[in-house]
């Protein structure tokens, strides 16, 4: 990944600048200045029979809390290992390859209507397996539940002590610093608006998937929402009616990071991996590097 490359002038803390992009792609951030200009929306569903079999196997092995979300995150990591451009980001009207895969997750501290929320950010390497995903995510969630606060809470709490006019100026100033890659490291590490992807499992609370907007602040390029499981009646090759289980998902992406054909090929691999989740038990044979 990009983290193995020597940092050069123009690179950022969270990634390296791509200097060999073709002129058309390099120009797009100047035409589509905000992510709200550049958001593409995609809806699909994926069959999860093999995923459910795999999850039963993993739970027998001791990974009792492993669920569909862990599989989806591990699958996304594996896709990044072969299609690294989906892990790019746009900042300061330039395109960068991110150093690692930073997954952002909203955690509700208590599953009640008045329970407070916070965000956690977990850094992964594309070489990691589904077991690594489970262990890292479990560790972070347990930490939130035990300690009650995160760095995101601390930064937000400090900023909210400011008068609103000063707070508005401060956020604008941070946005200015971010444009030039000068965001303070502590804020960058805590920010839920800077990362590779948010994958939210709305199905876990019985809701359908939604299109969730991307934030103009920060550089988060991908938001995936998973819906509730559903049963679909289909006709097999012998003409018999069978029932298969699916999950809907909706995807919002920043089109400036790579072209539509690249995205389509990446998500074909995404769907294929979910038909063969056992591949997530072993590291990828090779990790593809992004362009220079």
């Amino acid at each position: 990944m990009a983290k193995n490359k020597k940092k050069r002038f123009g690179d950022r803390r969270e990634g390296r600048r791509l200097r060999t992009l073709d002129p058309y792609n390099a120009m797009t951030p100047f035409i589509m200045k905000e992510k709200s200009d550049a958001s593409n929306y995609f809806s699909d569903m994926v069959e999860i029979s093999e995923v459910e079999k795999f999850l039963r196997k993993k739970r027998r092995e001791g990974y009792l809390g492993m669920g569909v979300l862990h599989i989806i995150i591990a699958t996304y990591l594996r896709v990044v290992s072969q299609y690294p451009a989906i892990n790019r980001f746009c900042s300061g009207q330039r395109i960068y390859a991110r150093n690692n895969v930073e997954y952002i997750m909203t955690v509700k501290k208590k599953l009640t209507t008045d329970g407070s929320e916070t965000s956690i950010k977990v850094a992964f390497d594309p070489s990691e397996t589904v077991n690594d995903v489970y262990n890292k995510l479990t560790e972070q969630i347990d930490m939130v539940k035990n300690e009650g606060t995160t760095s995101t809470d601390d930064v937000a709490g400090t900023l909210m002590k400011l008068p609103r006019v000063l707070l508005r100026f401060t956020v604008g100033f941070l946005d200015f610093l971010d444009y030039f890659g000068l965001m303070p490291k502590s804020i960058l590490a805590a920010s839920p608006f800077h990362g590779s992807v948010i994958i939210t499992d709305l199905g876990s609370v019985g809701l359908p998937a939604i299109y969730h907007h991307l934030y103009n602040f920060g550089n988060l390029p991908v938001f995936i929402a998973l819906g509730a499981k559903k049963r679909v009646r289909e006709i097999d090759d012998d003409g018999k009616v069978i029932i298969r289980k699916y999950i809907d998902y909706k995807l919002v992406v920043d089109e400036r990071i790579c072209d539509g054909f690249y995205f389509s090929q990446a998500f074909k691999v995404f769907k294929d991996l979910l038909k063969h989740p056992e591949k997530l038990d072993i590291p990828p044979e090779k990790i593809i590097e992004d362009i220079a």
Side-chain angles (χ1 to χ4, degrees), residues 23-184:
Y24 178 84
N25 287 338
M27 184 70 178
T28 55
F30 292 89
I31 304 300
M32 295 175 282
K33 298 178 183 179
E34 304 286 352
K35 282 195 283 292
S36 55
D37 301 325
S39 293
N40 282 342
Y41 300 79
F42 177 74
S43 177
D44 200 2
M45 64 181 185
V46 61
E47 204 266 333
I48 58 167
S49 297
E50 294 303 317
V51 168
E52 292 201 321
K53 290 178 186 177
F54 182 71
L55 284 173
R56 289 193 289 271
K57 171 181 173 288
K58 298 305 291 184
R59 289 164 186 162
R60 289 194 298 269
E61 293 175 358
Y63 298 93
L64 301 181
M66 186 175 288
V68 172
L69 182 62
H70 297 94
I71 304 298
I72 296 293
I73 296 170
T75 302
Y76 196 85
L77 281 179
R78 190 57 50 89
V79 175
V80 169
S81 76
Q82 305 304 305
Y83 290 86
I86 67 170
N87 196 39
R88 295 173 182 171
F89 63 93
C90 181
S91 283
Q93 296 176 293
R94 288 175 176 168
I95 308 297
Y96 298 82
R98 194 175 295 278
N99 292 335
N100 51 24
V101 183
E102 290 188 310
Y103 167 64
I104 298 165
M105 180 181 184
T106 299
V107 178
K108 202 163 179 66
K109 297 177 182 178
K110 292 183 180 179
L111 203 57
T112 60
T113 53
D114 59 351
S116 61
E117 288 185 340
T118 189
S119 292
I120 59 173
K121 185 184 290 188
V122 188
F124 296 104
D125 187 273
S127 65
E128 293 184 290
T129 67
V130 67
N131 294 349
D132 298 320
V133 169
Y134 175 84
N135 290 332
K136 282 190 173 183
L137 207 55
T138 300
E139 180 183 3
Q140 288 293 319
I141 292 172
D142 288 346
M143 192 180 302
V144 170
K145 291 179 178 178
N146 293 332
E147 297 181 5
T149 61
T150 65
S151 57
T152 303
D153 296 326
D154 295 338
V155 170
T158 300
L159 291 174
M160 286 307 299
K161 292 177 182 178
L162 300 173
R164 63 178 179 172
V165 173
L166 185 55
L167 176 58
R168 181 176 177 178
F169 170 80
T170 301
V171 172
F173 182 61
L174 289 174
D175 197 29
F176 171 81
L177 293 178
D178 196 30
Y179 185 93
F180 293 103
L182 300 174
M183 180 76 81

Side-chain angles (χ1 to χ4, degrees), residues 39-41 106 193 198 200 202 209-215 220 222-225 250-253:
S39 293
N40 282 342
Y41 300 79
T106 299
F193 310 108
I198 293 179
T200 182
L202 297 179
I210 64 166
Y211 292 112
H212 195 291
H213 63 89
L214 298 176
Y215 307 98
L220 181 82
V222 180
F223 204 119
I224 302 174
K250 296 188 186 297
L251 176 73
V252 182
V253 300

